[in-house]
Structures are given as structure tokens and as C-alpha cells.
Amino acid sequence: MATLFVGIFWVSCTNPAQKFTTETAQLDTIRSQINTMKVWFMVDEHKISKRYKHLTQQDSIIQLTNLSEQLPKDLGLSIEEFRAIPNIYRNYLNLFKQQQRQLDSLTQSTDSLQNLLYSESIGRRKFRKLLEIHKQCTNNLQLEVEATVKKTIEVEPTYKRIQPHIDSLEQSAIKLGQ
């Protein structure tokens, strides 16, 4: 009788994380993915927002038909590449907001999945199905986030090469306007 009591007490005190090590590890992997995606955005959002506002203010200069003639010839790029940057930044900022909501939602659903698992309110088979769906959503969002961040990073060299010249043209236009 005492052995039965100790056995029941031991089972009831077992840590759910130990009982569901495989599932807990998978949930931790998902959390890690989500946190990584959040970090990618945290680094760039403020900088991109500032740049986008600056480029928007310079729109009349960027849209000049003879802009390429006013820039140094050794820049070695198409002015159209530079003109595309504000749209890339705007898309990044729009996707940033949208993807942040998705990341927050994934974080909450990961916590909910863990609660379902630990409370044993659903069976392991149903949990695994839900987990697979959750993994797929996380992986899909990761692909979207990577594409968004990659496109923004790709235009960085173009921005850095041309922007000082655009700023210079803007200052010249301001002086001429005085």
C-alpha cells in the first residue's frame, strides 16, 4: 500500500517538461526560430524607417529625369536601382508590422500548445498534428521574413553609394532656391 502511495505521489509530481522531453524540445526550437526572426527585424526597423522618411522627402530629386547625368559616372549602377529603394523600404516597413503581429501570434500559440501538452487535455497524436501545423506556419513565416530582410540588405550598397550624392544635390537645390 505504501509503495502504491509513493508511486502515485511520484507520478503526480513528475515535471511535465521531463515527461514530454521530445515535444518540449520541439517547442523550444520553434521559440528559438521566432526569437531569431524578431531579432532580425529589431536591428533594421528604426534605421529603415529613418531612411524611408528621408528618401520620401527627397522624392522630387530622386525622380528628376536627368538625375543620372547629375551624379558621378563612376558610381557604376543604374539610377533605376536607386529609385526602387523607397518602395523596397516601404514594403519592408509594411511587412515588418504585419510580420511582427504574426510573430506575436506564433509566440502565443506556442505557449498554448505547451499548456495543452502539459495539461494533457489532448492526446499526443492530436498534439503532434497541431505541432506539425505550427511548425509549418513558423517555417513559412521564416521564409517570408528572410526574403524581406534579404531584399532590404541587398539594396544597402546601392543606398550607401548614391545617397551622399543625392544629399549633395538636395543641398545645391536648397541653395539655388534661396
Side-chain angles (χ1 to χ4, degrees), residues 158-176:
T158 303
Y159 175 85
K160 285 185 174 180
R161 269 193 317 235
I162 277 192
Q163 190 56 49
H165 301 289
I166 299 294
D167 289 342
S168 175
L169 288 174
E170 181 182 40
Q171 290 303 317
S172 296
I174 290 171
K175 287 179 184 174
L176 289 174

Side-chain angles (χ1 to χ4, degrees), residues 10 100 157:
W10 182 79
Q100 285 299 314

Side-chain angles (χ1 to χ4, degrees), residues 1-8:
M1 181 82 155
T3 307
L4 180 63
F5 178 72
V6 170
I8 291 172

Side-chain angles (χ1 to χ4, degrees), residues 41 44-45 47-53 55-56 59 62-63 77-99 144-159:
F41 275 122
D44 295 322
E45 192 269 337
K47 175 176 74 174
I48 298 303
S49 179
K50 239 173 104 172
R51 285 182 180 179
Y52 176 69
K53 286 176 186 171
L55 287 169
T56 303
D59 188 59
I62 294 170
Q63 298 308 321
L77 56 98
S78 163
I79 198 64
E80 294 308 314
E81 289 178 56
F82 185 73
R83 286 187 175 131
I85 292 175
N87 290 333
I88 291 168
Y89 285 171
R90 185 183 65 243
N91 289 341
Y92 175 91
L93 294 169
N94 290 337
L95 286 172
F96 168 79
K97 292 172 189 163
Q98 180 183 38
Q99 290 170 344
E144 288 177 29
V145 168
E146 285 175 354
T148 302
V149 172
K150 180 181 176 192
K151 185 72 172 173
T152 305
I153 290 170
E154 286 174 353
V155 299
E156 183 82 5
T158 303
Y159 175 85

Side-chain angles (χ1 to χ4, degrees), residues 62-127:
I62 294 170
Q63 298 308 321
L64 287 174
T65 53
N66 63 344
L67 179 60
S68 57
E69 297 166 10
Q70 296 183 36
L71 296 174
K73 302 292 181 217
D74 63 344
L75 288 177
L77 56 98
S78 163
I79 198 64
E80 294 308 314
E81 289 178 56
F82 185 73
R83 286 187 175 131
I85 292 175
N87 290 333
I88 291 168
Y89 285 171
R90 185 183 65 243
N91 289 341
Y92 175 91
L93 294 169
N94 290 337
L95 286 172
F96 168 79
K97 292 172 189 163
Q98 180 183 38
Q99 290 170 344
Q100 285 299 314
R101 285 190 295 273
Q102 289 176 308
L103 287 168
D104 291 341
S105 176
L106 280 173
T107 299
Q108 290 175 352
S109 59
T110 303
D111 293 342
S112 295
L113 270 175
Q114 183 170 330
N115 291 337
L116 285 172
L117 176 67
Y118 288 179
S119 69
E120 298 184 51
S121 56
I122 61 173
R124 274 191 164 169
R125 180 175 288 157
K126 187 169 183 175
F127 174 81

Side-chain angles (χ1 to χ4, degrees), residues 1-78:
M1 181 82 155
T3 307
L4 180 63
F5 178 72
V6 170
I8 291 172
F9 178 76
W10 182 79
V11 169
S12 67
C13 292
T14 303
N15 183 350
Q18 291 173 339
K19 185 175 180 182
F20 302 107
T21 40
T22 303
E23 293 87 351
T24 300
Q26 291 174 331
L27 290 168
D28 288 344
T29 299
I30 291 171
R31 280 190 185 93
S32 178
Q33 267 183 284
I34 293 168
N35 290 335
T36 299
M37 288 185 272
K38 285 181 178 182
V39 168
W40 290 341
F41 275 122
M42 287 171 45
V43 171
D44 295 322
E45 192 269 337
H46 181 69
K47 175 176 74 174
I48 298 303
S49 179
K50 239 173 104 172
R51 285 182 180 179
Y52 176 69
K53 286 176 186 171
H54 186 73
L55 287 169
T56 303
Q57 292 167 349
Q58 294 179 323
D59 188 59
S60 59
I61 293 170
I62 294 170
Q63 298 308 321
L64 287 174
T65 53
N66 63 344
L67 179 60
S68 57
E69 297 166 10
Q70 296 183 36
L71 296 174
K73 302 292 181 217
D74 63 344
L75 288 177
L77 56 98
S78 163

